[in-house]
Amino acid sequence: MRRLAFRPLLGLWLIVAAALPATAATRSYALEAAGSSVAFSVAFGADTITGTMPVLRSDLKIDFANVAASRVAVDLDVTGAQASFPFASQAMKGPRVLDAAEFPQISFTSTAITRDGDTARIEGNLTVRGVTRPTVLTARLYRPAGSSPQDLDQLTVILDGALARSDFGATGWSDMVGDTVHLTITAQIRATT
Amino acid sequence: MRWRNGPDRFGLITRMLHWAMGLGIIGMLGFGTVLSRMQPSLGNIWLYGLHKSVGLCLLALVLARLAWHRISPPPASLTEGIAPWQVAAGRWAHRLLYALMLAVPLAGWIGSAATGIDVQVFGLTLPNPFPVSEAWDKGGFLAHAVLTKLLMAVVALHVAGALHRALWHRDGTLRRMLRA
Ligand code: HEM
């Protein structure tokens, strides 16, 4: 695993925006698959199941002048999900939980983004198992250590959130596996415009 | 040493199959009950694998047993001095035992396979001939739970019948299953 050394950027959000020409304030980013992951964890009795899910597509537009005009849309590949012990991956992808054969993607689309101190609050619609529910993620934005505050070409977004899998009908093994699934999404993004 | 069945005796193969499966089935009925009440964790989840492995071996054994009895038919039941309803009860108990020895592990296999988790016999992954679906998962395990209760009742009847013959009638019914 690569050691990350990033500086929080959101605090500088407005300062950065002021230094940029207005037209350049909204930028589109592409996800770098290599440094990005969607990690989840869920209780399993006294233990914890952890795992990852690959990102299929992402559409990221960040408006440094007006956070509210930013948007995020991400699709995840359920069929490629991996969990921390042999049968958990299959159990999770099977019909009792995510039913990957029927619903191969999980998607998230932001509906409102607001600044909240050093973080951003991303409200959006999360679709799991074909069921869409409003969900809130917390975002922190970092730039690589040593880069100049004006250089927004390469950034790292860390998104934290949680969901109740019962909200989406993914109730399999609810006697063994917890209902709350914690998510940590690490996205290394590179500007395309 | 006589391996094959004769007109009035059980051969070694049939007797070995009988006792191995008897032990296995009674053990599995207890094991499965414990399993269904257990709080699973990373430390004990291997017990599910063991239950499936032993159960599938028992399924293989009942198929072997049915095949063997085509090659070497077992002797007819001892019926002298036995009330006809008891003879009929014994015959139906045996038929039901065979049906359940097939249906119980098959239902467990169908339910397990329907969850999408690989079914393994002591680490060897079996091909999955069954649908991966929530309905088959529910149906398979419901059948497994109900049929195992029926199996418990028929096994109890079978043991009671054998003891009744051994202790009351004192005919050779139990003895000839124990030794040649
Ligand atoms: C002769 C063979 C078998 C016997 C006697 C047997 C017996 C049992 C019993 C008594 C239970 C408890 C049912 C309940 O009360 O809910 C059980 C549960 C279970 N059996 Fe079997 N079983 C056999 C074969 C199999 C096979 C072949 C499989 C799978 C390949 C299997 C998979 C399971 C599973 C996963 C459970 C747990 C279900 C739950 O937790 O609700 N069994 N078994």
Side-chain angles (χ1 to χ4, degrees):
Chain A
M1 179 107 56
R2 224 174 87 201
R3 268 274 288 287
L4 297 174
F6 290 108
R7 300 238 153 74
L9 184 72
L10 260 151
L12 299 172
W13 204 308
L14 295 175
I15 301 165
V16 165
L20 293 166
T23 48
T26 300
R27 305 193 64 183
S28 292
Y29 288 85
L31 198 80
E32 312 243 271
S36 302
S37 69
V38 176
F40 59 84
S41 66
V42 60
F44 180 65
D47 308 297
T48 303
I49 300 172
T50 58
T52 59
M53 201 174 285
V55 176
L56 207 59
R57 267 182 301 276
S58 63
D59 178 12
L60 307 165
K61 294 208 169 45
I62 303 179
D63 188 329
F64 291 92
N66 174 17
V67 179
S70 303
R71 62 188 166 85
V72 179
V74 187
D75 292 330
L76 307 181
D77 175 14
V78 179
T79 61
Q82 296 289 333
S84 53
F85 69 95
F87 298 121
S89 312
Q90 291 179 325
M92 178 178 67
K93 288 185 262 186
R96 283 200 200 183
V97 187
L98 296 178
D99 200 356
E102 196 71 30
F103 307 104
Q105 291 182 25
I106 286 178
S107 46
F108 177 80
T109 311
S110 66
T111 50
I113 303 185
T114 46
R115 240 192 93 180
D116 185 7
D118 258 4
T119 64
R121 190 183 136 87
I122 305 185
E123 289 167 56
N125 288 321
L126 180 65
T127 304
V128 177
R129 251 188 102 108
V131 177
T132 303
R133 291 264 181 274
T135 304
V136 177
L137 299 174
T138 303
R140 279 163 296 150
L141 202 55
Y142 299 87
R143 62 180 168 79
S147 64
S148 98
Q150 276 77 25
D151 179 6
L152 302 174
D153 286 349
Q154 236 183 315
L155 300 172
T156 295
V157 191
I158 298 183
L159 297 152
D160 285 301
L163 60 96
R165 61 195 182 93
S166 56
D167 283 350
F168 300 89
T171 49
W173 291 283
S174 55
D175 52 336
M176 320 182 181
V177 179
D179 189 37
T180 304
V181 181
H182 294 275
L183 297 171
T184 302
I185 301 162
T186 306
Q188 291 199 6
I189 58 177
R190 184 182 287 278
T192 53
T193 58
Chain B
M1 191 76 62
R2 298 207 226 165
W3 302 94
R4 300 177 72 92
N5 295 314
D8 52 9
R9 61 175 175 77
F10 289 109
L12 188 64
I13 296 207
T14 290
R15 279 182 282 131
M16 286 200 315
L17 281 166
H18 175 272
W19 292 108
M21 293 188 66
L23 213 68
I25 287 165
I26 292 169
M28 284 288 283
L29 287 169
F31 184 9
T33 304
V34 169
L35 207 59
S36 68
R37 295 176 188 177
M38 177 179 87
Q39 175 61 52
S41 71
L42 284 184
N44 62 21
I45 198 148
W46 63 278
L47 289 171
Y48 285 88
L50 181 63
H51 180 85
K52 295 176 193 180
S53 297
V54 174
L56 289 165
C57 288
L58 286 168
L59 178 60
L61 282 179
V62 74
L63 294 173
R65 189 165 170 180
L66 289 166
W68 176 243
H69 289 176
R70 299 217 136 217
I71 299 164
S72 176
S77 299
L78 300 174
T79 53
E80 213 183 292
I82 307 298
W85 73 268
Q86 287 182 2
V87 174
R91 184 160 47 237
W92 279 102
H94 291 154
R95 284 179 187 158
L96 208 51
L97 278 173
Y98 275 101
L100 291 169
M101 285 189 288
L102 287 167
V104 163
L106 208 56
W109 187 5
I110 288 171
S112 298
T115 64
I117 300 177
D118 281 346
V119 175
Q120 299 188 329
V121 181
F122 296 111
L124 178 84
T125 301
L126 299 182
N128 179 18
F130 306 114
V132 175
S133 101
E134 210 160 7
W136 285 73
D137 168 358
K138 285 209 172 78
F141 282 119
L142 178 65
H144 195 60
V146 171
L147 294 177
T148 48
K149 305 300 171 291
L150 186 59
L151 182 55
M152 285 176 196
V154 185
V155 166
L157 190 69
H158 178 72
V159 171
L163 290 175
H164 177 66
R165 289 297 191 90
L167 304 174
W168 183 261
H169 292 287
R170 294 175 185 275
D171 62 7
T173 297
L174 181 58
R175 194 187 335 108
R176 69 178 187 168
M177 188 51 91
L178 284 162
R179 52 191 140 82

